[in-house]
Amino acid sequence: MNTAELIADIQTRTPIEARTLVHYPRILIDPCVVPLGSTDDKEARAKNRFSVTHLYCPDGLPFGHYARLQIAYLTAEIVKNKSAGEYFISRSIRKFFQICTGLNPGGATHQRFVEVLARVLATTFYFETLATPMSVLSRGRGALAYRDNLGSFGPHPQQVIFQPSEALTQLVAKKAYTPIDLRALQIFRNEDLVLAHDIYIYLCNKLFKLRGPKAFLTWSVLHKNVFTNCSHLNLNQFKQRFRTALGLIKEVYPELKDKVFADTDDGLTLRKCVIVSVEKDVSKLIRVM
């Protein structure tokens, strides 16, 4: 779907109805620590009120749309598959791309998606190359049975197998995740506004958890302590990009216009609100695929 169609769909169907409810680990939300820089021992530690955990990624998490989409979808898989072990995600990377983005992959975009996937959670997934020859796979199923589901970067068909790390599984078991709508992330990807991903996920988490009727955060706190990805920007640049991204989010969710207000000089005012209503019974959730 294009942006206009996705916005209309969000405003007419719930994530449950559209089968687009996914989750995001809170340990990556406040502060927003994607990309997660690698340390000398290639282990990054994050701490919040749930626990202390270790996220391992050899080169640090990549920056961009694909990282957010993949992290959200893979976390949702842990929520739905409560038992430990490996999860079958998709018949091919091409199919996984379509699930995450809602689009068909091209040459450059497909390659970038594969590169990001290889870094997002380096110890929690792997590609399984099928050893069975294509001639055997296609036999009895039609000559074109597997042609549309092959990863275009290698000679063999590949499945995406997800093997969550113990630390991430423990966090999810403690419900340390925030429900979000995959369609919203797809809109921000279409509009090429990476900061909108982080603000949207942050608001889904923050507005729901507000203890009082409202909260206020200064621009300085947002810049230095919450959206740490933007530390390379000066404060005025950050304000401008933040307001642009927030404007797009309000187009998607008009109900936020009187719930979230970014003042030009002072900061961000938040009023308690639930952006993404979710089904409490996780067993009723339907796979996105």
Side-chain angles (χ1 to χ4, degrees):
M1 296 185 186
N2 59 35
T3 297
E5 292 171 336
L6 284 168
I7 291 176
D9 195 47
I10 286 177
Q11 295 172 1
T12 55
R13 294 197 299 168
T14 68
I16 297 293
E17 294 170 334
R19 304 182 183 183
T20 56
L21 179 66
V22 291
H23 301 82
Y24 209 84
R26 288 180 185 163
I27 200 170
L28 297 179
I29 296 176
D30 188 3
C32 296
V33 291
V34 176
L36 190 64
S38 59
T39 59
D40 292 339
D41 60 356
K42 298 182 179 180
E43 189 174 76
R45 178 179 297 181
K47 181 178 181 180
N48 59 15
R49 68 185 180 89
F50 298 97
S51 67
V52 175
T53 189
H54 298 269
L55 297 179
Y56 171 85
C57 202
D59 301 313
L61 291 173
F63 183 81
H65 307 287
Y66 294 146
R68 275 73 170 173
L69 287 161
Q70 292 167 6
I71 289 170
Y73 188 88
L74 295 176
T75 303
E77 287 298 309
I78 305 177
V79 175
K80 287 182 283 187
N81 297 279
K82 297 180 180 180
S83 60
E86 298 177 351
Y87 310 144
F88 171 78
I89 301 298
S90 177
R91 298 187 303 271
S92 69
I93 298 175
R94 176 185 177 87
K95 180 64 176 177
F96 187 45
F97 182 98
Q98 293 170 330
I99 293 170
C100 286
T101 67
L103 303 172
N104 291 319
T109 55
H110 180 274
Q111 183 61 36
R112 177 58 180 162
F113 186 85
V114 172
E115 292 171 356
V116 172
L117 184 58
R119 290 176 54 197
V120 161
L121 293 174
T123 62
T124 64
F125 85 96
Y126 64 90
F127 300 138
E128 180 182 63
T129 301
L130 301 179
T132 308
M134 278 295 293
S135 58
V136 176
L137 287 174
S138 299
R139 189 178 303 154
R141 305 189 184 205
L144 301 179
Y146 287 85
R147 180 172 297 179
D148 292 335
N149 298 314
L150 305 184
S152 62
F153 64 95
H156 301 289
Q158 293 190 328
Q159 298 181 95
V160 179
I161 307 295
F162 181 42
Q163 187 177 27
S165 65
E166 182 180 353
L168 190 55
T169 302
Q170 289 176 355
L171 280 182
V172 171
K174 296 177 182 179
K175 296 185 177 181
Y177 54 82
T178 292
I180 60 176
D181 193 335
L182 189 68
R183 292 170 296 178
L185 299 190
Q186 291 172 350
I187 289 172
F188 308 143
R189 189 265 182 191
N190 291 347
E191 299 301 311
D192 196 23
L193 272 175
V194 179
L195 183 57
H197 286 278
D198 292 340
I199 295 175
Y200 164 72
I201 296 168
Y202 175 78
L203 291 177
C204 285
N205 187 52
K206 188 73 172 179
L207 293 174
F208 180 74
K209 294 196 307 177
L210 280 185
R211 295 182 180 179
K214 67 178 182 179
F216 176 78
L217 295 95
T218 66
W219 285 117
S220 179
V221 168
L222 289 169
H223 185 213
K224 295 180 179 179
N225 301 106
V226 180
F227 296 95
T228 54
N229 291 339
C230 299
S231 58
H232 62 287
L233 302 174
N234 63 45
L235 186 58
N236 287 332
Q237 290 173 325
F238 172 73
K239 289 182 184 179
Q240 182 179 0
R241 296 192 185 185
F242 189 99
R243 286 194 291 264
T244 299
L246 183 60
L248 175 59
I249 295 172
K250 288 183 177 180
E251 288 183 29
V252 181
Y253 297 96
E255 62 271 23
L256 292 182
K257 291 184 178 179
D258 60 350
K259 299 293 183 181
V260 180
F261 179 70
D263 184 82
T264 303
D265 299 318
D266 298 324
L268 188 70
T269 300
L270 305 174
R271 300 184 184 278
K272 193 172 182 64
C273 175
V274 177
I275 302 179
V276 178
S277 56
V278 299
E279 174 60 61
K280 292 183 179 179
D281 185 357
V282 179
S283 65
K284 294 182 180 180
L285 299 180
I286 305 174
R287 290 181 63 87
V288 177
M289 321 176 36

